[in-house]
Amino acid sequence: MRRPNPSETSLPARRRAPAVACLLLFPLAFVLFAALPGCLPHVDERAREFSEDGVSLFQRGEHGHACECFEAALALQPRDVNLLYNIGQCQDRLGKTAKAEEAYTQCLLASANHAPCRHALALLLLRSGRRADAEKMIQAWLAAEPKRPDAYAEEGWRLRQDGDIDAAKARLQQALALDPQNVRANVELGVLYEHLELPERALALYERALARDPKQDELVDRINALKVKGVRKPRPDS
């Protein structure tokens, strides 16, 4: 595994400028992104290597070294918003809240509909006791993107945190009306149904989400836990 040397991790001065403070994560896990071809017109091969090393280090709990790799990749690929998000995730895990918030803000300034980053920022704000800021941020996203299922799913998640189960369910159903296969909305509604002691419905939603995105190890664990308890998907006529 190649780690960057100090000269490779030095970012351009414009990347070190402070930004106005502005969090899917999916509800079950942190999500990282490697530099993928197709995300950008040209992907620097060294940036890809640093990014992949960063993901590996993060998964091993080496968040400081992972952050160095993502910063090195960002210096080579400054338009890759996923790298900004990944840096925020590392700083979040390191307890560096202000730096995490800055990275998330920069990501959203460049890509306002980056759903995992929106969720990561919402989580950070809630943990920091800034519930009103989290609510304002999510509602502003929903107002700006009234046809985006991820925005409804995020609002549904927030309402569930507040204990407003009926309103949360309504928002998640709105998300699924826009996109029945939306991973986040299916998982969130599944979590809500588990809370309501309707595990059969939860299982059906989890399996739909997994079919859309198989790379969800914690969701697999959740599905298996339900099946061990004897839970089965409801019959079509039930």
Side-chain angles (χ1 to χ4, degrees), residues 92-125:
D92 225 341
R93 286 293 184 95
L94 291 167
K96 298 180 179 180
T97 302
K99 289 186 176 181
E101 186 172 351
E102 181 177 336
Y104 293 147
T105 300
Q106 289 180 347
C107 175
L108 292 174
L109 286 173
S111 180
N113 293 316
H114 195 295
C117 190
R118 285 278 177 190
H119 186 61
L121 179 57
L123 282 173
L124 183 151
L125 293 172

PDB file of all heavy atoms in Angstrom, residues 92-125:
ATOM      1  N   ASP A  92     -14.295  13.439  10.636  1.00  0.00           N
ATOM      2  CA  ASP A  92     -15.405  13.124  11.534  1.00  0.00           C
ATOM      3  C   ASP A  92     -14.991  12.026  12.503  1.00  0.00           C
ATOM      4  O   ASP A  92     -15.193  12.121  13.721  1.00  0.00           O
ATOM      5  CB  ASP A  92     -16.611  12.666  10.713  1.00  0.00           C
ATOM      6  CG  ASP A  92     -17.915  13.302  11.170  1.00  0.00           C
ATOM      7  OD1 ASP A  92     -17.966  13.802  12.304  1.00  0.00           O
ATOM      8  OD2 ASP A  92     -18.885  13.283  10.394  1.00  0.00           O
ATOM      9  N   ARG A  93     -14.414  10.964  11.973  1.00  0.00           N
ATOM     10  CA  ARG A  93     -13.995   9.842  12.810  1.00  0.00           C
ATOM     11  C   ARG A  93     -12.841  10.220  13.738  1.00  0.00           C
ATOM     12  O   ARG A  93     -12.684   9.633  14.802  1.00  0.00           O
ATOM     13  CB  ARG A  93     -13.587   8.655  11.926  1.00  0.00           C
ATOM     14  CG  ARG A  93     -14.768   7.920  11.287  1.00  0.00           C
ATOM     15  CD  ARG A  93     -15.601   7.225  12.354  1.00  0.00           C
ATOM     16  NE  ARG A  93     -16.683   6.443  11.781  1.00  0.00           N
ATOM     17  CZ  ARG A  93     -16.625   5.147  11.512  1.00  0.00           C
ATOM     18  NH1 ARG A  93     -15.498   4.483  11.733  1.00  0.00           N
ATOM     19  NH2 ARG A  93     -17.659   4.517  11.020  1.00  0.00           N
ATOM     20  N   LEU A  94     -12.044  11.196  13.338  1.00  0.00           N
ATOM     21  CA  LEU A  94     -10.936  11.653  14.169  1.00  0.00           C
ATOM     22  C   LEU A  94     -11.397  12.645  15.237  1.00  0.00           C
ATOM     23  O   LEU A  94     -10.598  13.084  16.063  1.00  0.00           O
ATOM     24  CB  LEU A  94      -9.857  12.304  13.299  1.00  0.00           C
ATOM     25  CG  LEU A  94      -9.071  11.353  12.376  1.00  0.00           C
ATOM     26  CD1 LEU A  94      -8.272  12.144  11.352  1.00  0.00           C
ATOM     27  CD2 LEU A  94      -8.153  10.448  13.199  1.00  0.00           C
ATOM     28  N   GLY A  95     -12.680  13.001  15.214  1.00  0.00           N
ATOM     29  CA  GLY A  95     -13.215  13.946  16.187  1.00  0.00           C
ATOM     30  C   GLY A  95     -12.929  15.391  15.856  1.00  0.00           C
ATOM     31  O   GLY A  95     -13.141  16.284  16.688  1.00  0.00           O
ATOM     32  N   LYS A  96     -12.472  15.660  14.634  1.00  0.00           N
ATOM     33  CA  LYS A  96     -12.163  17.028  14.221  1.00  0.00           C
ATOM     34  C   LYS A  96     -13.390  17.605  13.524  1.00  0.00           C
ATOM     35  O   LYS A  96     -13.469  17.700  12.298  1.00  0.00           O
ATOM     36  CB  LYS A  96     -10.934  17.036  13.309  1.00  0.00           C
ATOM     37  CG  LYS A  96      -9.679  16.523  14.017  1.00  0.00           C
ATOM     38  CD  LYS A  96      -8.464  16.534  13.105  1.00  0.00           C
ATOM     39  CE  LYS A  96      -7.215  16.043  13.835  1.00  0.00           C
ATOM     40  NZ  LYS A  96      -6.015  16.037  12.967  1.00  0.00           N
ATOM     41  N   THR A  97     -14.346  18.017  14.351  1.00  0.00           N
ATOM     42  CA  THR A  97     -15.662  18.398  13.849  1.00  0.00           C
ATOM     43  C   THR A  97     -15.615  19.583  12.898  1.00  0.00           C
ATOM     44  O   THR A  97     -16.281  19.571  11.852  1.00  0.00           O
ATOM     45  CB  THR A  97     -16.592  18.711  15.034  1.00  0.00           C
ATOM     46  OG1 THR A  97     -16.662  17.554  15.884  1.00  0.00           O
ATOM     47  CG2 THR A  97     -17.984  19.056  14.547  1.00  0.00           C
ATOM     48  N   ALA A  98     -14.861  20.610  13.241  1.00  0.00           N
ATOM     49  CA  ALA A  98     -14.815  21.799  12.394  1.00  0.00           C
ATOM     50  C   ALA A  98     -14.242  21.482  11.016  1.00  0.00           C
ATOM     51  O   ALA A  98     -14.758  21.944   9.991  1.00  0.00           O
ATOM     52  CB  ALA A  98     -13.996  22.896  13.069  1.00  0.00           C
ATOM     53  N   LYS A  99     -13.178  20.675  10.989  1.00  0.00           N
ATOM     54  CA  LYS A  99     -12.589  20.305   9.700  1.00  0.00           C
ATOM     55  C   LYS A  99     -13.528  19.402   8.900  1.00  0.00           C
ATOM     56  O   LYS A  99     -13.606  19.520   7.672  1.00  0.00           O
ATOM     57  CB  LYS A  99     -11.240  19.624   9.923  1.00  0.00           C
ATOM     58  CG  LYS A  99     -10.148  20.565  10.405  1.00  0.00           C
ATOM     59  CD  LYS A  99      -8.806  19.863  10.465  1.00  0.00           C
ATOM     60  CE  LYS A  99      -7.693  20.834  10.864  1.00  0.00           C
ATOM     61  NZ  LYS A  99      -6.371  20.164  10.898  1.00  0.00           N
ATOM     62  N   ALA A 100     -14.233  18.514   9.583  1.00  0.00           N
ATOM     63  CA  ALA A 100     -15.196  17.662   8.890  1.00  0.00           C
ATOM     64  C   ALA A 100     -16.300  18.508   8.279  1.00  0.00           C
ATOM     65  O   ALA A 100     -16.682  18.323   7.111  1.00  0.00           O
ATOM     66  CB  ALA A 100     -15.784  16.644   9.866  1.00  0.00           C
ATOM     67  N   GLU A 101     -16.802  19.453   9.051  1.00  0.00           N
ATOM     68  CA  GLU A 101     -17.879  20.315   8.557  1.00  0.00           C
ATOM     69  C   GLU A 101     -17.422  21.133   7.353  1.00  0.00           C
ATOM     70  O   GLU A 101     -18.163  21.310   6.380  1.00  0.00           O
ATOM     71  CB  GLU A 101     -18.351  21.236   9.679  1.00  0.00           C
ATOM     72  CG  GLU A 101     -19.564  22.055   9.309  1.00  0.00           C
ATOM     73  CD  GLU A 101     -20.131  22.818  10.493  1.00  0.00           C
ATOM     74  OE1 GLU A 101     -19.697  22.583  11.644  1.00  0.00           O
ATOM     75  OE2 GLU A 101     -21.023  23.654  10.259  1.00  0.00           O
ATOM     76  N   GLU A 102     -16.187  21.611   7.413  1.00  0.00           N
ATOM     77  CA  GLU A 102     -15.660  22.382   6.284  1.00  0.00           C
ATOM     78  C   GLU A 102     -15.578  21.520   5.024  1.00  0.00           C
ATOM     79  O   GLU A 102     -15.942  21.965   3.925  1.00  0.00           O
ATOM     80  CB  GLU A 102     -14.279  22.936   6.624  1.00  0.00           C
ATOM     81  CG  GLU A 102     -13.673  23.767   5.492  1.00  0.00           C
ATOM     82  CD  GLU A 102     -12.331  24.373   5.866  1.00  0.00           C
ATOM     83  OE1 GLU A 102     -12.076  24.553   7.071  1.00  0.00           O
ATOM     84  OE2 GLU A 102     -11.540  24.652   4.947  1.00  0.00           O
ATOM     85  N   ALA A 103     -15.114  20.290   5.174  1.00  0.00           N
ATOM     86  CA  ALA A 103     -15.008  19.404   4.006  1.00  0.00           C
ATOM     87  C   ALA A 103     -16.396  19.085   3.444  1.00  0.00           C
ATOM     88  O   ALA A 103     -16.595  19.089   2.225  1.00  0.00           O
ATOM     89  CB  ALA A 103     -14.286  18.119   4.392  1.00  0.00           C
ATOM     90  N   TYR A 104     -17.357  18.808   4.316  1.00  0.00           N
ATOM     91  CA  TYR A 104     -18.713  18.532   3.853  1.00  0.00           C
ATOM     92  C   TYR A 104     -19.297  19.752   3.133  1.00  0.00           C
ATOM     93  O   TYR A 104     -19.968  19.621   2.102  1.00  0.00           O
ATOM     94  CB  TYR A 104     -19.616  18.166   5.031  1.00  0.00           C
ATOM     95  CG  TYR A 104     -19.293  16.866   5.719  1.00  0.00           C
ATOM     96  CD1 TYR A 104     -19.507  16.710   7.087  1.00  0.00           C
ATOM     97  CD2 TYR A 104     -18.801  15.768   5.019  1.00  0.00           C
ATOM     98  CE1 TYR A 104     -19.231  15.508   7.740  1.00  0.00           C
ATOM     99  CE2 TYR A 104     -18.516  14.573   5.652  1.00  0.00           C
ATOM    100  CZ  TYR A 104     -18.736  14.456   7.012  1.00  0.00           C
ATOM    101  OH  TYR A 104     -18.462  13.272   7.658  1.00  0.00           O
ATOM    102  N   THR A 105     -19.043  20.938   3.686  1.00  0.00           N
ATOM    103  CA  THR A 105     -19.555  22.160   3.072  1.00  0.00           C
ATOM    104  C   THR A 105     -18.980  22.350   1.678  1.00  0.00           C
ATOM    105  O   THR A 105     -19.701  22.680   0.727  1.00  0.00           O
ATOM    106  CB  THR A 105     -19.210  23.377   3.950  1.00  0.00           C
ATOM    107  OG1 THR A 105     -19.799  23.214   5.236  1.00  0.00           O
ATOM    108  CG2 THR A 105     -19.742  24.659   3.328  1.00  0.00           C
ATOM    109  N   GLN A 106     -17.675  22.155   1.551  1.00  0.00           N
ATOM    110  CA  GLN A 106     -17.047  22.303   0.241  1.00  0.00           C
ATOM    111  C   GLN A 106     -17.631  21.301  -0.747  1.00  0.00           C
ATOM    112  O   GLN A 106     -17.856  21.618  -1.919  1.00  0.00           O
ATOM    113  CB  GLN A 106     -15.537  22.126   0.362  1.00  0.00           C
ATOM    114  CG  GLN A 106     -14.831  23.267   1.074  1.00  0.00           C
ATOM    115  CD  GLN A 106     -13.334  23.048   1.169  1.00  0.00           C
ATOM    116  OE1 GLN A 106     -12.820  21.962   0.921  1.00  0.00           O
ATOM    117  NE2 GLN A 106     -12.608  24.096   1.538  1.00  0.00           N
ATOM    118  N   CYS A 107     -17.875  20.086  -0.288  1.00  0.00           N
ATOM    119  CA  CYS A 107     -18.469  19.065  -1.152  1.00  0.00           C
ATOM    120  C   CYS A 107     -19.840  19.512  -1.635  1.00  0.00           C
ATOM    121  O   CYS A 107     -20.156  19.425  -2.829  1.00  0.00           O
ATOM    122  CB  CYS A 107     -18.573  17.743  -0.388  1.00  0.00           C
ATOM    123  SG  CYS A 107     -19.414  16.418  -1.294  1.00  0.00           S
ATOM    124  N   LEU A 108     -20.669  20.024  -0.722  1.00  0.00           N
ATOM    125  CA  LEU A 108     -22.032  20.412  -1.090  1.00  0.00           C
ATOM    126  C   LEU A 108     -22.059  21.685  -1.925  1.00  0.00           C
ATOM    127  O   LEU A 108     -22.966  21.860  -2.751  1.00  0.00           O
ATOM    128  CB  LEU A 108     -22.882  20.576   0.169  1.00  0.00           C
ATOM    129  CG  LEU A 108     -23.163  19.275   0.922  1.00  0.00           C
ATOM    130  CD1 LEU A 108     -23.892  19.555   2.221  1.00  0.00           C
ATOM    131  CD2 LEU A 108     -23.956  18.297   0.056  1.00  0.00           C
ATOM    132  N   LEU A 109     -21.093  22.574  -1.731  1.00  0.00           N
ATOM    133  CA  LEU A 109     -21.023  23.750  -2.584  1.00  0.00           C
ATOM    134  C   LEU A 109     -20.758  23.352  -4.030  1.00  0.00           C
ATOM    135  O   LEU A 109     -21.237  23.996  -4.969  1.00  0.00           O
ATOM    136  CB  LEU A 109     -19.927  24.698  -2.089  1.00  0.00           C
ATOM    137  CG  LEU A 109     -20.250  25.483  -0.811  1.00  0.00           C
ATOM    138  CD1 LEU A 109     -19.019  26.244  -0.333  1.00  0.00           C
ATOM    139  CD2 LEU A 109     -21.416  26.450  -1.043  1.00  0.00           C
ATOM    140  N   ALA A 110     -19.997  22.292  -4.213  1.00  0.00           N
ATOM    141  CA  ALA A 110     -19.685  21.816  -5.561  1.00  0.00           C
ATOM    142  C   ALA A 110     -20.735  20.848  -6.087  1.00  0.00           C
ATOM    143  O   ALA A 110     -20.908  20.723  -7.308  1.00  0.00           O
ATOM    144  CB  ALA A 110     -18.316  21.141  -5.569  1.00  0.00           C
ATOM    145  N   SER A 111     -21.429  20.146  -5.193  1.00  0.00           N
ATOM    146  CA  SER A 111     -22.401  19.131  -5.606  1.00  0.00           C
ATOM    147  C   SER A 111     -23.540  19.109  -4.575  1.00  0.00           C
ATOM    148  O   SER A 111     -23.522  18.317  -3.629  1.00  0.00           O
ATOM    149  CB  SER A 111     -21.731  17.752  -5.695  1.00  0.00           C
ATOM    150  OG  SER A 111     -22.649  16.755  -6.089  1.00  0.00           O
ATOM    151  N   ALA A 112     -24.516  19.983  -4.773  1.00  0.00           N
ATOM    152  CA  ALA A 112     -25.563  20.209  -3.765  1.00  0.00           C
ATOM    153  C   ALA A 112     -26.401  18.974  -3.484  1.00  0.00           C
ATOM    154  O   ALA A 112     -26.992  18.856  -2.407  1.00  0.00           O
ATOM    155  CB  ALA A 112     -26.458  21.356  -4.209  1.00  0.00           C
ATOM    156  N   ASN A 113     -26.463  18.034  -4.427  1.00  0.00           N
ATOM    157  CA  ASN A 113     -27.313  16.850  -4.262  1.00  0.00           C
ATOM    158  C   ASN A 113     -26.520  15.592  -3.891  1.00  0.00           C
ATOM    159  O   ASN A 113     -26.992  14.477  -4.103  1.00  0.00           O
ATOM    160  CB  ASN A 113     -28.118  16.598  -5.537  1.00  0.00           C
ATOM    161  CG  ASN A 113     -29.135  17.688  -5.782  1.00  0.00           C
ATOM    162  OD1 ASN A 113     -29.830  18.129  -4.858  1.00  0.00           O
ATOM    163  ND2 ASN A 113     -29.227  18.153  -7.019  1.00  0.00           N
ATOM    164  N   HIS A 114     -25.340  15.782  -3.317  1.00  0.00           N
ATOM    165  CA  HIS A 114     -24.538  14.651  -2.839  1.00  0.00           C
ATOM    166  C   HIS A 114     -25.206  14.125  -1.566  1.00  0.00           C
ATOM    167  O   HIS A 114     -24.968  14.607  -0.456  1.00  0.00           O
ATOM    168  CB  HIS A 114     -23.108  15.116  -2.554  1.00  0.00           C
ATOM    169  CG  HIS A 114     -22.109  14.019  -2.414  1.00  0.00           C
ATOM    170  ND1 HIS A 114     -22.157  13.093  -1.390  1.00  0.00           N
ATOM    171  CD2 HIS A 114     -21.023  13.682  -3.169  1.00  0.00           C
ATOM    172  CE1 HIS A 114     -21.152  12.251  -1.504  1.00  0.00           C
ATOM    173  NE2 HIS A 114     -20.443  12.578  -2.576  1.00  0.00           N
ATOM    174  N   ALA A 115     -26.067  13.115  -1.726  1.00  0.00           N
ATOM    175  CA  ALA A 115     -26.921  12.660  -0.628  1.00  0.00           C
ATOM    176  C   ALA A 115     -26.152  12.133   0.584  1.00  0.00           C
ATOM    177  O   ALA A 115     -26.487  12.474   1.722  1.00  0.00           O
ATOM    178  CB  ALA A 115     -27.910  11.614  -1.134  1.00  0.00           C
ATOM    179  N   PRO A 116     -25.117  11.288   0.411  1.00  0.00           N
ATOM    180  CA  PRO A 116     -24.368  10.850   1.594  1.00  0.00           C
ATOM    181  C   PRO A 116     -23.746  12.014   2.356  1.00  0.00           C
ATOM    182  O   PRO A 116     -23.700  11.991   3.592  1.00  0.00           O
ATOM    183  CB  PRO A 116     -23.302   9.916   1.008  1.00  0.00           C
ATOM    184  CG  PRO A 116     -23.900   9.414  -0.257  1.00  0.00           C
ATOM    185  CD  PRO A 116     -24.668  10.586  -0.805  1.00  0.00           C
ATOM    186  N   CYS A 117     -23.280  13.032   1.647  1.00  0.00           N
ATOM    187  CA  CYS A 117     -22.688  14.182   2.315  1.00  0.00           C
ATOM    188  C   CYS A 117     -23.749  14.962   3.077  1.00  0.00           C
ATOM    189  O   CYS A 117     -23.516  15.429   4.203  1.00  0.00           O
ATOM    190  CB  CYS A 117     -21.982  15.078   1.300  1.00  0.00           C
ATOM    191  SG  CYS A 117     -20.975  16.367   2.054  1.00  0.00           S
ATOM    192  N   ARG A 118     -24.930  15.122   2.489  1.00  0.00           N
ATOM    193  CA  ARG A 118     -26.029  15.778   3.201  1.00  0.00           C
ATOM    194  C   ARG A 118     -26.309  15.057   4.521  1.00  0.00           C
ATOM    195  O   ARG A 118     -26.489  15.689   5.565  1.00  0.00           O
ATOM    196  CB  ARG A 118     -27.291  15.752   2.341  1.00  0.00           C
ATOM    197  CG  ARG A 118     -27.302  16.719   1.190  1.00  0.00           C
ATOM    198  CD  ARG A 118     -27.708  18.103   1.616  1.00  0.00           C
ATOM    199  NE  ARG A 118     -27.638  19.026   0.492  1.00  0.00           N
ATOM    200  CZ  ARG A 118     -27.756  20.332   0.608  1.00  0.00           C
ATOM    201  NH1 ARG A 118     -27.941  20.874   1.803  1.00  0.00           N
ATOM    202  NH2 ARG A 118     -27.657  21.117  -0.443  1.00  0.00           N
ATOM    203  N   HIS A 119     -26.360  13.747   4.461  1.00  0.00           N
ATOM    204  CA  HIS A 119     -26.669  12.978   5.669  1.00  0.00           C
ATOM    205  C   HIS A 119     -25.537  13.077   6.686  1.00  0.00           C
ATOM    206  O   HIS A 119     -25.770  13.219   7.894  1.00  0.00           O
ATOM    207  CB  HIS A 119     -26.928  11.523   5.307  1.00  0.00           C
ATOM    208  CG  HIS A 119     -27.396  10.705   6.464  1.00  0.00           C
ATOM    209  ND1 HIS A 119     -28.552  10.983   7.140  1.00  0.00           N
ATOM    210  CD2 HIS A 119     -26.847   9.632   7.074  1.00  0.00           C
ATOM    211  CE1 HIS A 119     -28.705  10.104   8.132  1.00  0.00           C
ATOM    212  NE2 HIS A 119     -27.680   9.277   8.107  1.00  0.00           N
ATOM    213  N   ALA A 120     -24.301  13.031   6.198  1.00  0.00           N
ATOM    214  CA  ALA A 120     -23.156  13.151   7.096  1.00  0.00           C
ATOM    215  C   ALA A 120     -23.173  14.489   7.816  1.00  0.00           C
ATOM    216  O   ALA A 120     -22.915  14.572   9.022  1.00  0.00           O
ATOM    217  CB  ALA A 120     -21.857  12.994   6.301  1.00  0.00           C
ATOM    218  N   LEU A 121     -23.509  15.549   7.094  1.00  0.00           N
ATOM    219  CA  LEU A 121     -23.570  16.864   7.711  1.00  0.00           C
ATOM    220  C   LEU A 121     -24.711  16.942   8.717  1.00  0.00           C
ATOM    221  O   LEU A 121     -24.564  17.508   9.806  1.00  0.00           O
ATOM    222  CB  LEU A 121     -23.717  17.943   6.632  1.00  0.00           C
ATOM    223  CG  LEU A 121     -23.807  19.378   7.148  1.00  0.00           C
ATOM    224  CD1 LEU A 121     -22.600  19.737   8.004  1.00  0.00           C
ATOM    225  CD2 LEU A 121     -23.950  20.365   5.981  1.00  0.00           C
ATOM    226  N   ALA A 122     -25.866  16.366   8.385  1.00  0.00           N
ATOM    227  CA  ALA A 122     -26.997  16.371   9.316  1.00  0.00           C
ATOM    228  C   ALA A 122     -26.634  15.652  10.614  1.00  0.00           C
ATOM    229  O   ALA A 122     -26.946  16.127  11.715  1.00  0.00           O
ATOM    230  CB  ALA A 122     -28.222  15.721   8.664  1.00  0.00           C
ATOM    231  N   LEU A 123     -25.963  14.511  10.499  1.00  0.00           N
ATOM    232  CA  LEU A 123     -25.535  13.778  11.689  1.00  0.00           C
ATOM    233  C   LEU A 123     -24.562  14.614  12.530  1.00  0.00           C
ATOM    234  O   LEU A 123     -24.671  14.661  13.756  1.00  0.00           O
ATOM    235  CB  LEU A 123     -24.866  12.464  11.288  1.00  0.00           C
ATOM    236  CG  LEU A 123     -25.779  11.310  10.889  1.00  0.00           C
ATOM    237  CD1 LEU A 123     -24.953  10.152  10.353  1.00  0.00           C
ATOM    238  CD2 LEU A 123     -26.615  10.849  12.073  1.00  0.00           C
ATOM    239  N   LEU A 124     -23.621  15.255  11.851  1.00  0.00           N
ATOM    240  CA  LEU A 124     -22.643  16.078  12.562  1.00  0.00           C
ATOM    241  C   LEU A 124     -23.349  17.205  13.316  1.00  0.00           C
ATOM    242  O   LEU A 124     -23.038  17.486  14.486  1.00  0.00           O
ATOM    243  CB  LEU A 124     -21.626  16.634  11.567  1.00  0.00           C
ATOM    244  CG  LEU A 124     -20.467  17.463  12.120  1.00  0.00           C
ATOM    245  CD1 LEU A 124     -19.244  17.332  11.216  1.00  0.00           C
ATOM    246  CD2 LEU A 124     -20.838  18.940  12.249  1.00  0.00           C
ATOM    247  N   LEU A 125     -24.296  17.862  12.665  1.00  0.00           N
ATOM    248  CA  LEU A 125     -25.012  18.964  13.301  1.00  0.00           C
ATOM    249  C   LEU A 125     -25.817  18.484  14.503  1.00  0.00           C
ATOM    250  O   LEU A 125     -25.837  19.138  15.554  1.00  0.00           O
ATOM    251  CB  LEU A 125     -25.923  19.649  12.279  1.00  0.00           C
ATOM    252  CG  LEU A 125     -25.207  20.392  11.145  1.00  0.00           C
ATOM    253  CD1 LEU A 125     -26.209  20.858  10.089  1.00  0.00           C
ATOM    254  CD2 LEU A 125     -24.397  21.573  11.681  1.00  0.00           C
TER     255      LEU A 125
END
